[in-house]
């Protein structure tokens, strides 16, 4: 049997080993080694056990072998002796340690398996698009090209901006500001156009701003640009010189212009048509004579072929109409006048008129010069002068008529006459 003192040391070493195992330290476990008899061997064995050296294991094996021999000797005597209590305790402690170690290992495995199962990779692996490359799928098949604003190429040289401004000025300067006009003086034609205008205004009141004033009714033959007073005087001279050629062409015969039907230019300008006849061809010949005379004097004439017409409305006259939603002329509004006969105009005068200068009191354009054509120019001049004077008076008479037609004004007049005792 092993003495008591070494046994105490043995159990002390065992408890140290158990504490080290429970703490899960990384230090090597102390093997079980019962100490040899004697102090020196016990203390040396304890030191070696703490250090975890190999001689301690050898001593423990020897002690186990001695205990087994003693148990066999005791068993030969006929009675099997039970194992000592110390050995039972050691076995129980070893069993508990193994059970606890297994539990710890199981917990670690569970944690690892849980963490691995709950990892993003495992969760994504269960999805139907696990094998799809997300970057390739989400990225557009054709990479959108960045929108690059194209910059206008600037021409080399400092004078490009100056050149552009000069060209703009030239365009503005070359715009027509004068024209050759055949004035419309026949009251029948004027009244017919005014009724046409009134019917259109009744259907759409906004178009009242697009109507041409009756005092400016005319037929345009030519347009030109006269930049200054010298050019204007030069144009007046060329215009007067063409009067003789026009008289030769007409040979004293009056030129009768007939107006029937209406039409429009691109739904922007409404006009009364000039009926085609020999007189219209003669009118075009007169325009050609005046054009050649102006070109000989070095005056620029617009080469656009003009179709002689009598304008009664024009959308460009009021730019606000576009903001109000009026962008086109509805031809159905004057369908009833499509073939209407307005009357004949006896041409007895041609005028060189300004587009920009202030108009005359009767509404007609400012005239730089006029040419009288026909048999009796003197009587034509007198009639034209009287007509110009009568136009503003006629306008005032029409206004008075409109006022008298109002019921409220009639009642006022009636009451005043009753108060004065003039009515019984």
């Amino acid at each position: 049997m092993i003495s008591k003192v070494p046994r105490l040391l043995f159990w002390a070493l065992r408890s140290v080993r158990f504490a080290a195992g429970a703490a899960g330290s990384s230090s090597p476990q102390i093997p079980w080694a019962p100490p040899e008899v004697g102090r020196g061997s016990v203390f040396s064995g304890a030191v070696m056990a703490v250090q975890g050296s190999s001689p301690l294991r050898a001593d423990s094996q020897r002690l186990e072998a001695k205990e087994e021999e003693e148990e066999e000797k005791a068993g030969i005597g006929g009675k099997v002796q039970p194992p000592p209590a110390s050995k039972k305790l050691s076995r129980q402690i070893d069993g508990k340690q193994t059970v606890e170690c297994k539990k710890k290992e199981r917990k670690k495995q569970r944690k690892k398996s849980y963490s691995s199962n709950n990892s993003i990779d495992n969760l994504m692996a269960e999805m139907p698009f696990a094998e799809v490359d997300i970057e390739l799928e989400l990225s557009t098949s054709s990479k959108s090209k960045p929108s690059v604003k194209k910059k206008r190429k600037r021409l080399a040289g400092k004078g490009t901006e100056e050149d552009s401004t000069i060209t703009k000025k030239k365009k503005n300067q070359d715009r027509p500001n004068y024209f050759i006009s055949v004035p419309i003086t026949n009251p029948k034609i004027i009244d017919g156009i005014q009724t046409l205008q009134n019917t259109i205004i009744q259907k759409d009141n906004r178009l009242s701003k697009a109507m041409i004033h009756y005092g400016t009714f005319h037929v345009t033959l030519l347009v030109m640009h006269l930049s200054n007073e010298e050019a204007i005087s030069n144009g007046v001279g060329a215009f007067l010189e063409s009067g003789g050629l026009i008289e030769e062409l007409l040979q004293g015969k009056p030129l009768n212009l007939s107006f029937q039907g209406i039409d429009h230019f691109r739904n922007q300008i409404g006009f009364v048509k000039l009926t085609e006849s020999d007189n219209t061809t003669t009118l075009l010949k007169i325009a050609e004579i005046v054009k050649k005379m102006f070109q000989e004097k070095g005056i620029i004439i617009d080469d656009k072929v003009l179709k002689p017409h009598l304008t009664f409305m024009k959308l460009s006259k009021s730019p606000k109409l576009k903001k109000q939603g009026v962008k086109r002329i509805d031809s159905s509004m004057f369908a009833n006048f499509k073939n209407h006969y307005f009357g004949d105009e006896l041409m007895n005068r041609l005028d060189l008129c300004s587009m920009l200068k202030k108009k005359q009191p009767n509404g007609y354009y400012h005239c730089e010069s006029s040419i009288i054509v026909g048999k009796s120019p003197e009587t034509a001049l007198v009639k034209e002068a009287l007509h110009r004077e009568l136009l503003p008076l006629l306008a005032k008479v029409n206004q008075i008529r409109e006022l008298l037609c109002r019921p409220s004004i009639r009642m006022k007049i009636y009451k005043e006459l009753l108060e004065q005792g003039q009515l019984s």
Side-chain angles (χ1 to χ4, degrees):
M1 295 295 292
I2 303 170
S3 61
K4 293 180 178 180
V5 174
R7 284 284 184 185
L8 292 170
L9 291 171
F10 170 73
W11 289 115
L13 292 171
R14 277 295 229 182
S15 63
V16 171
R17 180 188 173 200
F18 176 73
S25 61
S26 61
S27 61
Q29 295 182 357
I30 301 171
W32 178 80
E36 294 181 354
V37 179
R39 289 183 180 179
S41 62
V42 171
F43 285 106
S44 64
V47 172
M48 291 175 72
V50 172
Q51 294 175 353
S53 59
S54 60
L56 182 60
R57 293 179 181 177
D59 292 337
S60 64
Q61 290 175 359
R62 288 173 188 173
L63 288 170
E64 288 177 357
K66 285 180 181 180
E67 287 181 355
E68 288 175 358
E69 287 177 1
E70 289 176 358
E71 289 175 358
E72 289 176 358
K73 287 178 181 180
I76 293 168
K79 293 181 179 179
V80 179
Q81 294 180 357
S86 62
K87 195 167 185 180
K88 288 180 180 179
L89 289 169
S90 64
R91 287 177 181 175
Q92 289 176 0
I93 291 165
D94 291 336
K96 287 179 180 179
Q97 287 178 355
T98 53
V99 170
E100 289 176 357
C101 290
K102 286 180 180 179
K103 285 181 179 179
K104 288 179 181 179
E105 289 177 359
R106 286 174 186 172
K107 285 181 181 180
K108 288 179 182 179
Q109 288 177 359
R110 285 175 186 173
K111 287 180 181 179
K112 287 180 181 180
S113 63
Y114 180 75
S115 62
S116 62
N117 289 330
N118 289 336
S119 64
I120 295 169
D121 295 333
N122 291 329
L123 291 172
M124 292 295 290
E126 295 177 1
M127 302 301 287
F129 51 83
E131 296 180 357
V132 179
D133 193 351
I134 295 169
E135 291 182 359
L136 292 173
E137 291 295 326
L138 292 178
S139 63
T140 54
S141 59
S142 62
K143 294 182 179 179
S144 59
K145 296 180 181 179
S147 60
V148 180
K149 292 182 179 179
K150 293 183 179 180
K151 295 182 179 179
R152 292 180 179 178
K153 293 182 179 179
R154 294 182 179 178
L155 298 171
K158 296 181 181 179
T160 54
E161 292 181 358
E162 294 178 357
D163 294 337
S164 63
T165 53
I166 289 166
T167 52
K168 287 179 181 178
K169 286 180 179 179
K170 283 183 179 179
K171 286 180 180 179
N172 292 328
Q173 288 175 358
D174 293 339
R175 284 182 180 177
N177 56 355
Y178 279 84
F179 65 100
I180 305 297
S181 168
V182 178
I184 304 299
T185 59
N186 188 356
K188 184 181 178 181
I189 297 172
I190 294 169
D191 292 339
I193 294 172
Q194 283 183 329
T195 54
L196 169 63
Q197 290 175 338
N198 291 328
T199 54
I200 294 169
I201 292 166
Q202 286 176 2
K203 293 178 180 179
D204 192 347
N205 191 27
R206 295 175 296 178
L207 293 173
S208 61
K209 297 177 181 178
M211 297 302 168
I212 304 297
H213 190 264
Y214 65 89
T216 59
F217 290 158
H218 68 280
V219 176
T220 302
L221 295 182
L222 294 173
V223 292
M224 66 204 73
H225 178 78
L226 301 176
S227 57
N228 49 31
E229 292 297 328
E230 184 180 354
I232 293 167
S233 62
N234 192 15
V236 169
F239 180 60
L240 292 174
E241 287 181 11
S242 64
L245 297 174
I246 293 168
E247 285 293 336
E248 289 179 5
L249 178 66
L250 294 175
Q251 295 180 356
K253 295 179 181 180
L255 190 65
N256 193 15
L257 303 175
S258 181
F259 294 92
Q260 185 175 3
I262 54 175
D263 203 351
H264 59 86
F265 292 127
R266 294 176 295 177
N267 296 98
Q268 299 295 313
I269 297 171
F271 63 90
V272 179
K273 292 191 292 184
L274 181 64
T275 55
E276 294 183 1
S277 62
D278 294 337
N279 291 334
T280 54
T281 55
T282 305
L283 184 66
L284 293 174
K285 288 179 181 178
I286 291 168
E288 192 66 27
I289 289 168
V290 178
K291 182 179 177 180
K292 286 181 180 179
M293 190 61 68
F294 272 80
Q295 287 176 346
E296 287 177 3
K297 297 288 183 179
I299 297 169
I300 299 170
I301 301 293
D302 195 351
D303 291 331
K304 290 181 182 177
V305 178
L306 294 176
K307 181 181 179 180
H309 60 277
L310 200 167
T311 303
F312 66 88
M313 69 178 297
K314 187 162 51 176
L315 292 182
S316 61
K317 192 173 180 291
S318 178
K320 292 182 181 179
L321 290 172
K322 287 186 179 180
K323 295 180 181 179
Q324 294 175 359
V326 181
K327 296 181 180 179
R328 294 169 61 86
I329 296 172
D330 187 4
S331 59
S332 63
M333 290 190 292
F334 45 78
N336 295 331
F337 293 84
K338 190 172 182 180
N339 296 316
H340 180 73
Y341 173 71
F342 290 90
D344 294 339
E345 177 67 30
L346 187 63
M347 191 187 79
N348 51 25
R349 192 178 87 242
L350 291 175
D351 296 327
L352 176 61
C353 299
S354 172
M355 297 180 185
L356 304 176
K357 289 183 180 181
K358 189 177 179 180
K359 293 180 180 179
Q360 299 178 22
N362 60 358
Y364 192 67
Y365 296 95
H366 173 80
C367 292
E368 297 289 344
S369 181
S370 297
I371 297 174
I372 305 301
V373 293
K375 285 186 178 181
S376 56
E378 293 180 358
T379 55
L381 283 173
V382 171
K383 285 181 180 179
E384 184 60 28
L386 289 171
H387 181 72
R388 285 183 183 179
E389 294 294 331
L390 287 173
L391 279 176
L393 293 173
L394 289 170
K396 289 179 180 179
V397 169
N398 289 328
Q399 289 177 359
I400 292 166
R401 283 178 183 175
E402 289 177 0
L403 289 171
L404 291 173
C405 290
R406 293 179 184 177
S408 60
I409 293 171
R410 283 184 176 183
M411 288 297 294
K412 287 180 181 180
I413 294 169
Y414 185 74
K415 286 179 181 180
E416 287 179 0
L417 292 172
L418 282 174
E419 289 175 358
Q420 292 176 5
Q422 294 181 5
L423 292 175
S424 55

